[in-house]
Structures are given as structure tokens and as C-alpha cells.
């Protein structure tokens, strides 16, 4: 069983930066697709970025150039570096993981297909 715990959210002014972390525990030896998703108030959950076990990342158009997904396997932690934040980036950000898939790009808009999902961390940009 895998557990995901997000941290690093908070309130920031437009133009600022935040780095989110997602620490995962459990079967850490498997190769995982991992991703970040977000849900703004009153909106559907949307993908942000996914990364496979080799470090190949895919991003949505809104994330490209400003948000960077990365992972540190030694620390069992997934990251999301967010720069040049905008008020429209305000949302609950969640991470997800799954070891069943060989490729991960298609999961960018398929949060519900991940086997493991965290509770989220709130990001507010004003």
C-alpha cells in the first residue's frame, strides 16, 4: 500500500514561487508514474504534470514554462516547482502515483486512473 502526503502549499503574491512536495511511502521499489493535479473552487480537477520512472515529464499547456515536476527517488519525494504564479493558479494541488503503467503521458488528464492519490495542499495566489 502506498501513501502520499503533500506539503509546501501556502499563500503567495502573484509573480511569486512555491515548491510543493509529495512524500510517498510503502512499496518504494516499484517504478511509478507520478503526477500533480489541481482543483480550483467550483471547477473540475485538472492535470498539471506527470513524470515516469525515467524522469520523462509531460505538462499541460497552462503549466509549461512555469511549473516543473521532478522527483528524488532517494528521498521518495515528488516535487512541483511553481514560478511566476498567477491568481488562476489558486487551487488544491494533489499528487498521485501508480506502478501499473509503462508510459505515463496519457495520465495527464486521467487523475482517476491513478491507484494512489494524496489529500492535497492548498495554494492561494493573490
Amino acid at each position: 500500500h502506498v501513501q502520499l502526503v503533500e506539503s509546501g502549499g501556502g499563500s503567495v503574491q502573484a509573480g511569486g514561487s512555491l515548491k510543493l512536495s509529495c512524500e510517498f511511502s510503502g512499496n518504494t521499489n516499484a517504478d511509478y508514474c507520478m503526477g500533480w493535479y489541481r482543483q480550483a473552487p467550483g471547477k473540475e480537477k485538472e492535470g498539471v504534470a506527470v513524470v515516469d520512472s525515467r524522469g520523462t515529464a509531460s505538462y499541460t499547456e497552462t503549466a509549461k514554462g512555469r511549473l516543473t515536476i521532478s522527483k528524488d527517488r532517494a528521498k521518495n519525494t515528488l516535487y512541483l516547482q511553481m514560478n511566476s504564479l498567477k491568481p488562476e493558479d489558486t487551487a488544491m494541488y494533489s499528487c498521485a502515483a501508480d506502478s501499473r503503467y509503462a508510459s505515463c503521458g496519457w495520465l495527464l488528464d486521467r487523475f482517476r486512473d491513478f491507484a494512489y492519490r494524496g489529500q492535497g495542499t492548498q495554494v492561494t495566489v493573490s
Side-chain angles (χ1 to χ4, degrees):
H1 183 67
V2 171
Q3 287 190 315
L4 304 172
V5 179
E6 302 94 337
S7 62
S11 297
V12 64
Q13 290 188 335
S17 299
L18 280 174
K19 187 172 185 177
L20 307 183
S21 299
C22 169
E23 186 171 351
F24 62 95
S25 59
N27 181 14
T28 58
N29 292 321
D31 292 329
Y32 288 92
C33 289
M34 299 195 74
W36 285 100
Y37 295 81
R38 68 186 186 183
Q39 187 167 22
K43 295 188 176 182
E44 294 290 318
K45 194 179 294 286
E46 65 174 355
V48 175
V50 296
V51 63
D52 66 18
S53 60
R54 295 164 295 177
T56 301
S58 299
Y59 297 89
T60 59
E61 286 302 314
T62 57
K64 284 180 181 178
R66 298 188 302 120
L67 280 59
T68 304
I69 190 171
S70 63
K71 61 182 180 180
D72 186 331
R73 190 154 184 172
K75 295 182 178 179
N76 297 326
T77 302
L78 178 74
Y79 301 102
L80 184 68
Q81 176 67 48
M82 304 190 294
N83 299 325
S84 302
L85 284 163
K86 305 174 182 180
E88 50 264 44
D89 292 318
T90 294
M92 180 71 75
Y93 286 73
S94 304
C95 63
D98 202 304
S99 62
R100 296 175 293 173
Y101 309 116
S103 63
C104 307
W106 67 277
L107 287 163
L108 195 54
D109 59 353
R110 301 287 293 269
F111 179 77
R112 297 187 185 281
D113 285 304
F114 278 93
Y116 307 107
R117 290 166 271 175
Q119 293 298 307
T121 184
Q122 178 67 38
V123 172
T124 303
V125 185
S126 59

